[in-house]
Amino acid sequence: MEKNPEVVVGQFLQGRDVLTWADYATGEIEQLLESARRLKEQQQQGATQQTLAGRSLGMIFENASTRTRVSFEVGMTQLGGHALFLNSTDLQIGRGEPVDDTAKVLSRYVDGIMIRANDHEKVKRLAEKSEVPVINALTDWYHPCQALADMLTVQEHLDQLNGRKLVYVGDGNNVAHSVMIIAAKLGMDITLSTPEGYEGEADVWAEARAIAEQTGSKVAHVVDPREALQDADIVYTDVWVSMGVEKEADKRNKAFRRYQVNEELMSLAKKEAIFMHCLPAHRGEEVSAEVIDGPQSVVFDQAENRLHVQKAILQAVMR
């Protein structure tokens, strides 16, 4: 009898935190992708699995969200569970309660905690003190759930991940960090093209390069976006002014001016290259309308796939 792949994933990921894909083996990430693919296929066929019936997910949000909140909440509902939206300003943690105490209390009530926070160290501390799995839904350093959805999208459009060249153009932010890590884990070559000083965190670069040495992939930084896009299979960008750096808007818009992904820049990639963006997007800034709304764009597939990878993660760690 063929084993259900979701059950196999759940057997060895049960109770695990999801903070960064650096903590996961390549095979574990691949099985999560396969689980997400199966779950998406089942949903398209009108079938659902109540694998999290009776389970509850506490969702802590320190900032605004569209895709993260909706995909996690809908995902829990489709799996038979329940999601609680917890605005940090409404929790005692927003009034100074120690993270340790919040982790211990929530562990008595819910079966898993999802948190979207500004400080990655706070999320790490929450995970250390929690007795239930903690899922990082975005911090200032990482956005792992987005990166997993990105890889599912690449698989759907280009089939093979190993050996593909992904070029990320713009700001070396949390999305860039997670894409670097997961791409290296899956044997993809990744190039970040950013202005000097916007490459991202040195510790993440060192981590990504160490992973790349093990998987045989390449991780590089190229200042000139025109040079970086040569032979690219995937072109990825994000906003230039992320949450928390709004005061730097004028400086950043000037620094990133030549990094806009437009038709001219996309023409330097492979003819069959796809364009990706984690959304929300600012048309006319980091990407032109012609590209994001054009035939090479897969941004709404990425957005949809947040739901399917969220479900794969949830049932793997909470079941």
Side-chain angles (χ1 to χ4, degrees):
M1 181 178 178
E2 183 182 356
K3 289 186 178 180
N4 184 322
E6 286 79 37
V7 174
V8 175
V9 171
Q11 287 173 349
F12 68 85
L13 297 186
Q14 188 175 6
R16 292 270 297 276
D17 298 317
V18 180
L19 304 184
T20 165
W21 296 121
D23 300 334
Y24 281 71
T26 297
E28 293 172 332
I29 298 171
E30 289 173 339
Q31 288 206 43
L32 281 170
L33 286 171
E34 174 61 13
S35 177
R37 187 191 67 78
R38 294 285 186 99
L39 285 164
K40 182 174 184 176
E41 187 178 76
Q42 290 166 4
Q43 181 174 315
Q44 291 172 338
Q45 295 171 350
T48 58
Q49 290 188 346
Q50 303 290 293
T51 50
L52 294 182
R55 302 296 176 90
S56 295
L57 175 73
M59 305 191 303
I60 303 174
F61 286 89
E62 286 189 352
N63 41 45
S65 170
T66 298
R67 282 151 291 278
T68 297
R69 177 179 176 181
V70 175
S71 58
F72 268 106
E73 193 161 334
V74 171
M76 278 297 292
T77 300
Q78 290 183 354
L79 294 174
H82 176 65
L84 299 90
F85 174 73
L86 306 171
N87 189 315
S88 64
T89 59
D90 297 330
L91 297 176
Q92 294 299 339
I93 194 172
R95 299 178 59 237
E97 181 175 65
V99 172
D100 296 25
D101 292 359
T102 297
K104 292 173 183 177
V105 169
L106 288 181
S107 295
R108 304 291 181 98
Y109 298 145
V110 299
D111 303 287
I113 300 170
M114 182 233 77
I115 180 168
R116 185 182 182 99
N118 298 314
D119 183 3
H120 189 70
E121 291 302 314
K122 177 190 290 187
V123 175
K124 285 174 62 177
R125 183 69 180 180
L126 183 75
E128 288 171 6
K129 297 301 178 181
S130 172
E131 295 178 11
V132 297
V134 171
I135 301 169
N136 172 9
L138 180 146
T139 66
D140 54 343
W141 272 50
Y142 296 109
H143 199 351
C145 298
Q146 176 65 55
L148 192 65
D150 297 338
M151 294 301 105
L152 179 61
T153 307
V154 174
Q155 276 187 333
E156 290 176 340
H157 287 271
L158 300 179
D159 190 26
Q160 182 179 332
L161 294 175
N162 187 280
R164 294 289 186 182
K165 180 180 178 182
L166 188 155
V167 178
Y168 181 99
V169 181
D171 184 28
N173 58 15
N174 49 6
V175 173
H177 287 169
S178 284
V179 170
M180 284 172 65
I181 294 293
I182 199 167
K185 284 277 185 179
L186 295 169
M188 300 172 68
D189 295 337
I190 179 164
T191 298
L192 258 63
S193 184
T194 76
E196 295 285 358
Y198 292 95
E199 300 92 339
E201 298 292 337
D203 288 350
V204 178
W205 274 95
E207 195 167 43
R209 284 177 168 142
I211 294 168
E213 287 182 7
Q214 297 174 350
T215 60
S217 59
K218 299 174 184 176
V219 177
H221 178 255
V222 176
V223 174
D224 184 357
R226 297 180 63 86
E227 177 187 346
L229 258 71
Q230 299 297 322
D231 297 320
D233 296 293
I234 306 111
V235 181
Y236 199 132
T237 194
D238 190 11
V239 296
W240 295 339
V241 184
S242 300
M243 287 182 287
V245 295
E246 289 85 357
K247 293 181 179 180
E248 301 176 18
D250 291 342
K251 177 184 176 183
R252 283 172 168 266
N253 288 332
K254 183 178 180 180
F256 289 105
R257 192 169 298 157
R258 71 184 181 117
Y259 291 84
Q260 183 191 81
V261 179
N262 49 38
E263 289 180 301
E264 179 185 358
L265 206 59
M266 278 297 295
S267 71
L268 301 175
K270 289 182 179 178
K271 187 177 180 180
E272 66 275 15
I274 59 175
F275 170 76
M276 307 185 79
H277 193 305
C278 60
L279 302 180
H282 298 155
R283 289 166 175 78
E285 292 185 14
E286 75 274 4
V287 61
S288 67
E290 292 77 14
V291 169
I292 194 169
D293 298 320
Q296 291 173 281
S297 176
V298 298
V299 300
F300 295 107
D301 291 340
Q302 285 175 266
E304 178 191 344
N305 284 338
R306 290 291 303 278
L307 171 63
H308 308 300
V309 301
Q310 249 80 294
K311 288 164 67 177
I313 292 169
L314 289 167
Q315 70 171 9
V317 303
M318 289 178 60
R319 184 162 56 182

